[in-house]
Each structure stands twice: as C-alpha cells, then as structure tokens.
C-alpha cells in the first residue's frame, strides 16, 4: 500500500488509533475520547449512544458501564458492536466493528477507583436505563449510598468494562472537494492477519 503514508502509516491499527487519539487530546475541546456506540436489541433494532473510550490496548478498545444498562444487555445478547469516533478539530474519524467481551477484573477495579468520589457513589445509586420517578429520589439514593460507603465505595458487582475486539477498523480523513482518504483494515478472525485496502471517498 505505497500511498498509505503520513497519518495513515504504521503496521498496527491500534497504534494508529492511539496516535490519532493523542493528537485529538491536544485539539478537541470536549471529550476527545467520546465514541458513538452502536448495538442491537433482541429484535434486531439498532441503538446508539455516546460513551467514553477509556483505553486502547493491543487487540481491543475498552469502555466501562453499568452491566444492567440497556447497552450492556444488548452487548451481552449480540456479542458484537460497532462504534465511530469523530474529531471535528482534526477532520478525522475511526469506525470499528467487532466482537465484545467483558473487562471485569483488576483493570475494572483500578479504573473505578480512579474516578471521582461522586462518580463512584453515583454508579452505586443509578439503576441505569430504568425509569426514574424524580430527580429527588435519585439524590436520596446517592445520600443513602454515601452514608453506607463513605469515601471508599468498592466497585459495584454490576459495573465494569467491555472490550470491543475488532475485525474491521476504518481510518478516515477529510480531503479537498470531498475526496476523502479512507483505509480499512479487515480480518476474518480475531487471530487472523489484517488486510488493508484504500476505499473510494
């Protein structure tokens, strides 16, 4: 792929993604790690919402959530997901499709403990995606959780991470006259070799 140079150069798509994310952290005003996560429910109806990508590691993209939330139930059901991350400041985006697994051990504990105290207490108090009678009832639950756990709440058993292990990653950069540059990395299995192809704009 002789013309895959500059921002697209590299032999590992996760390294390229990490490099782009680091650049975005220096230019994007808010939440450079925000991704639009897409799932499907049991009827096949798609769903999408914004979550924060917390780690790019060899072989996976990692985010954290409530395991009883709508998104978690859909991830468990399908075992697959997709996301897009778009940086307006860089005029770039990355699209990912792949299989999903849980991050439920020490890494989840470590990330949970790195969050602000209010966020940790809020994770305990919120039954994410379920109906809420009033804001007041939620704050009363937060107060009760605070009385119970104080300043050191443990990670809830219903809260942890998900890893998206991709079989497809597309890197896109805006071009003049809408002649964008697009390179897609594909593999048929998670242990397979990547095939790289330039796509039409």
């Amino acid at each position: 792929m002789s013309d895959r140079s500059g921002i697209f150069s590299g032999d590992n798509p996760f390294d390229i993604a990490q490099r782009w994310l680091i650049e975005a952290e220096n230019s994007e005003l808010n939440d450079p790690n925000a991704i639009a996560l897409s799932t499907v429910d049991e009827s096949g109806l798609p769903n999408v919402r914004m979550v924060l990508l917390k780690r790019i590691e060899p072989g996976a993209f990692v985010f954290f959530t409530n395991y009883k939330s709508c998104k978690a139930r859909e991830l468990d059901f399908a075992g697959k997901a997709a996301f897009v991350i778009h940086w307006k400041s860089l005029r770039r985006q990355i699209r990912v499709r792949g299989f999903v697994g849980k991050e439920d051990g020490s890494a989840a504990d470590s990330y949970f403990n790195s969050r602000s105290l209010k966020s940790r207490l809020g994770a305990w108090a919120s039954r994410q995606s379920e109906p809420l009678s009033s804001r007041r009832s939620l704050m009363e639950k937060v107060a009760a959780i605070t009385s119970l756990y104080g300043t050191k709440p443990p990670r809830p058993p219903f809260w942890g991470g998900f890893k998206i292990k991709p079989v497809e990653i597309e890197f896109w950069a805006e071009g003049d006259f809408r002649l964008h540059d697009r390179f897609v990395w594909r593999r048929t299995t998670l242990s397979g070799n990547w095939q790289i192809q330039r796509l039409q704009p």
Side-chain angles (χ1 to χ4, degrees):
M1 198 63 64
S2 59
D3 60 349
R4 192 172 58 83
S5 58
I7 63 172
F8 295 99
S9 64
D11 299 322
N12 184 315
F14 300 99
D15 291 343
I16 299 172
Q18 184 68 65
R19 191 171 70 231
W20 283 24
L21 178 58
I22 290 171
E23 288 183 56
E25 288 170 348
N26 295 320
S27 62
E28 200 74 8
L29 288 177
N30 296 302
D31 297 328
N33 60 331
I35 63 175
L37 175 70
S38 178
T39 57
V40 294
D41 66 15
E42 293 185 13
S43 72
L45 190 65
N47 219 339
V48 66
R49 78 289 285 160
M50 303 304 294
V51 300
L52 296 180
L53 179 68
K54 288 301 179 179
R55 192 165 70 246
I56 300 174
E57 60 183 37
F61 298 86
V62 184
F63 67 94
F64 295 86
T65 191
N66 186 314
Y67 285 150
K68 295 183 179 181
S69 65
C70 179
K71 77 176 82 64
R73 293 195 304 269
E74 292 174 353
L75 290 168
D76 285 338
F77 162 73
K80 302 171 187 174
F83 74 79
V84 62
I85 184 168
H86 176 78
W87 299 294
K88 196 169 183 65
S89 61
L90 297 178
R91 302 294 194 266
R92 297 181 207 168
Q93 71 179 26
I94 301 173
R95 294 195 308 130
V96 172
R97 298 198 300 163
F99 298 93
V100 176
K102 283 185 176 177
E103 174 66 88
D104 199 28
S106 60
D109 291 335
S110 178
Y111 172 66
F112 183 79
N113 291 329
S114 74
R115 303 177 86 206
S116 71
L117 175 60
K118 289 184 178 180
S119 292
R120 283 177 283 153
L121 294 168
W124 272 101
S126 174
R127 295 182 176 180
Q128 197 173 94
S129 304
E130 293 187 13
L132 178 64
S133 61
S134 68
R135 178 84 181 173
R136 180 178 178 178
S137 66
L138 177 61
M139 300 314 293
E140 288 173 351
K141 184 71 181 293
V142 171
I145 291 295
T146 302
S147 296
L148 180 63
Y149 290 116
T151 60
K152 294 184 178 180
R155 177 170 66 91
F158 52 82
W159 192 98
F162 281 100
K163 293 184 176 186
I164 299 178
K165 303 174 183 180
V167 290
E168 184 175 304
I169 306 175
E170 181 188 315
F171 297 92
W172 176 99
E174 184 178 285
D176 293 336
F177 312 109
R178 301 196 66 79
L179 298 177
H180 313 307
D181 287 308
R182 296 171 64 189
F183 289 93
V184 62
W185 297 58
R186 292 191 180 104
R187 56 186 178 181
T188 55
T189 66
L190 293 178
S191 59
N193 294 324
W194 291 104
Q195 301 297 317
I196 312 168
Q197 188 173 39
R198 177 186 273 276
L199 300 179
Q200 298 268 357

